Amino acid sequence: MEQPQGRTGGKIGIKEFVAIVVIMIGTKITDDTTALLFKPLLNAAWMVPVINGILAIIPVALLMKVSTHYENKDLIDVSYHLFGKYIAFFVLFILWFIGFCFIVVDTAIYTDIIGTMYYLRTPSIVIYGLLMFVCAYGARKGLENIGSVAWTVYPYLQASLFVTLLITFSQGSTNFLFPLFGPGALEVIKESSFTISIYMDILYVFILFPYVNRTKDFKKGTWIAFALIAINMALALISYIMLFDYHSVAMQSYPYHEALRTINFAFLTNLESFIFPFWLIGSFVKFTAYLYINLLLFAKLVKIEQFKYLIPTFATLIVFLGLIAENPAVTMHQLKQTIAYITSPMFFALPILFWIVAKWKGEFKK
Amino acid sequence: MLQKLFRGKKEKRAYNGSKLDGDMSKDNSEKIDSELTKTVNIFKTIYSYPDNQDVTIRNIHINGLNKDGALLFISTITDTKVIDEYVIEPLLKNQDSEVKIDDLVSVPSISKTTAIADICTEVNNGSAVLFVDEETQAYILNASNFESRGIEKPENETVVKGPKEAFIEKASTNISLIRKRIKNENLVVETQTVSKRSNNVAYIVYIKNVTNDDIVDKVKSRLHTMDVDAVQNLSLLEQYIEESHVSIFPTVLNTERPDRAVSFLEDGYVVLLMDNSPDSLVVPATFWSFYHTSEDHYLRLPYGNFTRVLRLFALFVTLFTSALYVAVVTFHVEMIPPDLLLAIASTRELVPFPALFEVLLMEIAFELIREAGLRVPSPIGPTIGIVGALILGQAAVEANIVSPIVVIVVALGGLSSFAIGDISMNFAIRLSRFIFVIAAGVFGMYGMVALFTLGVFYLVSIRTFGVPYLAPMTPTYKSSKDTIFRKMLQNEIFRPGYMKPKDMKKK
């Protein structure tokens, strides 16, 4: 695999790692993922990241145990080691394919957000093209640089989200949060488990394991990132409910951007254009990381050494696949929901499977 | 005159068919003759004597020893007074028949050599050479005296508080200015010839027990791989050794302040000096070294950081104001409060151009004033200011070519650009500003952010002599964390880790 030049031969530190993971997964709160939660759970939707977070500890911890057991082996090598050539290839191929679908769906949705919220008259292909161009450029620079960029911009992104949340809280009503359990405590737990796939992306993070400086950093970093994501998501969901109430928020595709349009601060009546740049940077970095990890997986699967040259091809492919949907806000959202229902049990089961096989083969005793 | 000298030398060499080619130091096979007249004749041919005006050959009879001798030097670059008093006079007045030549002449540095090529090098560097009959060795007497100006105040990197000496065009003086600040035997000044025909020498300065050997080796090998006839000064040398020749971001720092160069030396960097350059090169340079000035550390902590904040602000204002104006007016009108929006709209009402064109027009006008102001002969300098301010500002607004707010926006950006002191970074920022304006005109905020993201990706991927451009911020290294803000001097304990210094701790 290519090794970008630098201090550690392409490895990243804990700060960069956490920044990548948080930006990759945390930005979900600003797209239509929220709609998946609000529909069944009404005003208790904000509990999903917390409940799911607790549930997801099990698969993540098990996978962590298996994966960090082998130094210098990433998820791919580990699966080959545990499952053998054919089953591992099949599992990883499915994983890659799901990841690829996620990228197509998500980039299409983000393009739709930019198009419908800010650039009504610009053709989608132009917006989409620029988005993927930036991501392809970033992905070509390699993991070390993606990490550096993520870490450079992360504090500002977090600050911008924090400011938005603060203003939203101050302009919302706490009464909307009650009754606390919305449709009922049992219902909340049941429905939460169906949407555990919001943390699915953590699986892909394990591919980065050999590229993080130290095993300790990887373990610590994953948990820190995990906690940060859960807190950010829960807070953001609370703020949406407080601002819009559950009824109207469930009807919105992109509540984050609606919230930005609704809030105002001092003499600035429209804040969205001030926060928009930060959100955009976050989106660019997010898809750069996604694209890189997905291609890393693909390259390993089909044994391509220099996958750098694949990046422009894939980026173009994603643009054309993403443009197929006429109305991404509806169709892509439907697709996303379907994938979420399929992947949720998979996300839960796969790490457990890894662990059981490893245990059965007596790997931990070695 | 010098040109003539070199040209003459070249022709004669060709005529002689001798092996004395461009790089003379490589060919040491030809030796001087023990017969004085023969030797003198060889050098007369080499130096085109007597066509060459300032080449002097003085025949003397050494009393006491009763031998003939000849003194060869170039009078314009040699201290003739020293030669008169300490060489010719003792030789003529000598009565002792047993004494050696070494003991007779009283110049501080004397050496012997036999090779013609070496002698030429020394003479070209301002030394005088003494040939003595029946001796196969020539005496090289160091009495060089190149003309240069005295030490003056820095012109470009001015400070209010702090030392006010600047480098001058004489490398030996510059080294002395550095040695004055680092009184330590570990300060090493190596030389390396960087050009073949003009024999320009670069001085590689570093602290032996601090600077990482790898970096010194890298610098040396870059200098070594240069294959050029002449490199006049450091500004040209910089372009030969820099990382990427087309990148808009500089990777080698140019400073005219000895105190600044020394602070880099103490952190384990390598400094390059050359004759004819009133500055020094610091390699490798990170983004932060262009952003900092020496005064940041001379001022007390709060004041120093206040200027840092101002500079950061200025940097962003320079980069983004014009672009933001274009983006807002073209795409994001909802961003501005309605009252201001109406004010802008009313001033733009009569302007026939789109905002992008309007801003570009003013930006280019501003750059023109700047460039013209720089090149204009000083007696007519004030005229430029009047023409610029009056015609381009006032009249353009009255003629409805640009709106007054654009004048404010461009002037603000232009003014802020002066806060970035380093000329290379200044250019980088100004050029980026144009790209941002165009991106804003095409895609609004989306284009600006896309360009910004591309820029950050590019910045973090730059490596200069193996050092990441944004280090130590990212990737993280152990250091004193002197990036956007500086720390208390007491807390600046470490040398920058990305330089891999041999001694990490400063305190």
Side-chain angles (χ1 to χ4, degrees), chain A residues 313-334:
Chain A
T313 322
F314 266 76
T316 321
L317 186 67
I318 289 168
V319 172
F320 287 115
L321 286 176
L323 280 173
I324 292 173
E326 286 281 326
N327 184 355
V330 178
T331 46
M332 284 300 182
H333 181 70
Q334 279 297 329

Side-chain angles (χ1 to χ4, degrees), chain B residues 49-115:
Chain B
Y49 185 83
D51 296 347
N52 226 338
Q53 281 291 312
D54 55 348
V55 175
T56 314
I57 295 177
R58 167 81 156 85
N59 292 309
I60 37 176
H61 182 75
I62 306 167
N63 268 336
L65 293 172
N66 205 16
K67 276 182 180 174
D68 276 330
L71 203 58
L72 166 72
F73 58 91
I74 301 171
S75 61
T76 43
I77 55 173
T78 313
D79 196 338
T80 43
K81 207 179 154 201
V82 170
I83 292 180
D84 267 349
E85 282 180 28
Y86 304 114
V87 181
I88 300 178
E89 216 179 286
L91 289 177
L92 290 178
K93 288 186 178 164
N94 178 43
Q95 298 300 334
D96 193 347
S97 60
E98 296 296 306
V99 77
K100 284 199 236 161
I101 299 278
D102 308 48
D103 303 330
L104 263 178
V105 291
S106 46
V107 290
S109 152
I110 181 164
S111 58
K112 290 180 214 165
T113 183
T114 56

Side-chain angles (χ1 to χ4, degrees), chain B residues 453-482:
Chain B
T453 314
L454 287 177
V456 177
F457 265 112
Y458 177 65
L459 272 181
V460 298
S461 70
I462 299 177
R463 298 284 183 276
T464 130
F465 291 85
V467 171
Y469 205 46
L470 287 187
M473 190 165 94
T474 175
T476 327
Y477 287 92
K478 199 174 191 180
S479 72
S480 292
K481 298 200 173 65
D482 183 16

Side-chain angles (χ1 to χ4, degrees), chain A residues 76-319:
Chain A
I76 302 150
D77 300 325
V78 172
S79 0
Y80 275 116
H81 181 75
L82 288 179
F83 296 117
K85 211 167 147 192
Y86 298 103
I87 300 174
F89 183 85
F90 180 72
V91 171
L92 290 174
F93 185 80
I94 300 269
L95 212 56
W96 168 79
F97 185 72
I98 292 170
F100 187 73
C101 290
F102 264 131
I103 297 182
V104 175
V105 170
D106 273 346
T107 47
I109 285 169
Y110 277 63
T111 307
D112 187 56
I113 294 176
I114 299 167
T116 52
M117 292 307 219
Y118 303 93
Y119 290 87
L120 297 172
R121 287 182 299 174
T122 316
S124 316
I125 187 163
V126 179
I127 296 173
Y128 213 147
L130 187 60
L131 175 70
M132 288 321 288
F133 174 77
V134 175
C135 295
Y137 179 84
R140 267 193 78 116
K141 292 281 177 190
L143 183 66
E144 200 188 11
N145 292 326
I146 298 174
S148 286
V149 173
W151 170 245
T152 316
V153 298
Y154 173 66
Y156 306 100
L157 305 188
Q158 187 67 68
S160 80
L161 181 70
F162 189 67
V163 168
T164 321
L165 291 185
L166 222 58
I167 299 172
T168 319
F169 282 139
S170 66
Q171 287 170 16
S173 159
T174 37
N175 290 338
F176 291 150
L177 287 175
F178 299 99
L180 208 57
F181 285 103
L186 212 73
E187 191 75 5
V188 171
I189 295 174
K190 198 181 82 188
E191 282 292 331
S192 292
S193 60
F194 287 142
T195 51
I196 198 165
S197 71
I198 53 169
Y199 291 119
M200 168 91 182
D201 314 72
I202 290 213
L203 275 189
Y204 296 99
V205 170
F206 279 83
I207 294 171
L208 297 181
F209 170 61
Y211 304 103
V212 178
N213 268 342
R214 284 173 300 187
T215 310
K216 204 180 79 191
D217 284 354
F218 179 80
K219 278 185 186 168
K220 218 167 112 188
T222 311
W223 292 121
I224 291 173
F226 196 49
L228 277 173
I229 294 163
I231 293 167
N232 271 325
M233 279 196 176
L235 286 177
L237 289 171
I238 292 175
S239 78
Y240 302 156
I241 298 167
M242 279 171 65
L243 193 66
F244 297 116
D245 197 3
Y246 74 94
H247 210 69
S248 47
V249 82
M251 287 193 285
Q252 291 166 0
S253 293
Y254 313 122
Y256 180 70
H257 300 273
E258 298 290 353
L260 285 179
R261 302 205 143 210
T262 315
I263 55 175
N264 53 55
F265 180 73
F267 63 93
L268 296 167
T269 44
N270 288 292
L271 278 177
E272 76 263 27
S273 302
F274 292 92
I275 306 290
F276 176 61
F278 294 97
W279 174 80
L280 259 181
I281 294 174
S283 312
F284 284 132
V285 177
K286 171 191 173 117
F287 291 119
T288 307
Y290 265 111
L291 191 64
Y292 183 85
I293 293 176
N294 196 260
L295 276 168
L296 191 70
L297 180 55
F298 182 75
K300 279 235 167 182
L301 273 181
V302 297
K303 299 195 173 55
I304 297 171
E305 284 291 316
Q306 290 284 329
F307 75 96
K308 224 161 90 170
Y309 303 107
L310 284 178
I311 293 170
T313 322
F314 266 76
T316 321
L317 186 67
I318 289 168
V319 172

Side-chain angles (χ1 to χ4, degrees), chain B residues 98-209:
Chain B
E98 296 296 306
V99 77
K100 284 199 236 161
I101 299 278
D102 308 48
D103 303 330
L104 263 178
V105 291
S106 46
V107 290
S109 152
I110 181 164
S111 58
K112 290 180 214 165
T113 183
T114 56
I116 289 177
D118 288 348
I119 293 170
C120 287
T121 312
E122 290 296 335
V123 172
N124 295 342
N125 280 322
S127 296
V129 184
L130 176 67
F131 305 109
V132 181
D133 199 19
E134 288 163 27
E135 277 192 37
T136 52
Q137 281 182 322
Y139 298 88
I140 290 164
L141 317 164
N142 192 355
S144 70
N145 181 28
F146 286 95
E147 292 302 328
S148 90
R149 63 183 169 119
I151 296 170
E152 280 162 30
K153 279 188 179 182
E155 297 260 313
N156 307 323
E157 295 170 69
T158 46
V159 296
V160 177
K161 194 180 172 191
K164 301 208 169 40
E165 281 175 334
F167 286 131
I168 58 161
E169 282 84 350
K170 199 170 177 182
S172 57
T173 313
N174 295 349
I175 295 168
S176 142
L177 287 175
I178 290 177
R179 287 241 186 237
K180 187 169 103 181
R181 287 168 173 83
I182 307 177
K183 292 180 177 117
N184 191 309
E185 65 281 5
N186 286 308
L187 178 69
V188 180
V189 182
E190 287 189 41
T191 60
Q192 193 161 335
T193 311
V194 288
S195 65
K196 288 184 170 167
R197 209 167 271 282
S198 298
N199 288 315
N200 303 101
V201 172
Y203 297 82
I204 308 161
V205 188
Y206 59 94
I207 300 178
K208 196 169 61 188
N209 55 1

